[in-house]
Every structure is written in structure tokens, then in C-alpha cells.
Amino acid sequence: MSTFEEDLSKLEKLTADIKRSDISLEDALKDFEEGMKLASGMEAQLDKIEGKIQILMNEPNPMVKDNPPQMDLFSDDSTVSGTRR
């Protein structure tokens, strides 16, 4: 499966080809159809990414689930287990 960036590059090339003055109608139509398929697939990829972002943004405690913050990394020598000496 190709990446979004690869598909975007292909779509840009197809767009440039369609704009050529020496392209036949048949080739332009073929490029247009291929571009529409690419654009549809890219839209589906973006929808999937947007869904994942929405889930992450709406998560009540994103740092607690599966990846709690490592507070001991920020403690200094004057604290032990959350109490001051």
C-alpha cells in the first residue's frame, strides 16, 4: 500500500499531465479517472486519521492510559516518594 505522500505526488503528476496541451482526450480521461480514485482513497485515509485524532483529543486522561507520566524523572535529591526531607 502506498503512503499518503506518494499518492499526493501521483495526483499532482496526473493533474499536471491533464493540463498539457498535447494530451489526447482518452489519456486525459484515463488520468482523470485514476486521479479520482486516488483522491477518494486519500480522503478515506484523512477521515481515518481525523477519527484517531478525535479519539485522542476527547480522551479524559491521555497521559494516564497505558502511559502514565514518569514523575520520578523530575524529582530532585530533596524528595523521596513524594515527601520532602
Side-chain angles (χ1 to χ4, degrees):
M1 182 173 190
S2 59
T3 67
F4 185 86
E5 291 80 8
E6 290 169 341
D7 287 346
L8 181 59
S9 179
K10 288 177 192 175
L11 188 58
E12 289 171 341
K13 183 184 180 319
L14 289 169
T15 302
D17 286 347
I18 289 172
K19 292 178 182 179
R20 287 188 357 238
S21 62
D22 63 337
I23 190 169
S24 70
L25 183 59
E26 293 81 18
D27 287 341
L29 181 59
K30 184 184 80 165
D31 287 350
F32 180 79
E33 288 175 330
E34 186 177 347
M36 291 301 293
K37 288 177 187 176
L38 277 172
S40 178
M42 292 168 67
E43 185 176 16
Q45 287 178 327
L46 287 175
D47 287 344
K48 186 176 179 180
I49 291 167
E50 183 179 8
K52 288 180 181 181
I53 290 171
Q54 288 298 324
I55 289 169
L56 291 172
M57 295 290 291
N58 293 322
E59 199 170 287
N61 295 311
M63 293 302 294
V64 175
K65 186 179 180 181
D66 297 328
N67 190 20
Q70 301 296 318
M71 299 308 287
D72 60 327
L73 297 175
F74 302 104
S75 64
D76 58 17
D77 293 331
S78 63
T79 61
V80 175
S81 299
T83 59
R84 295 224 173 251
R85 289 189 204 178

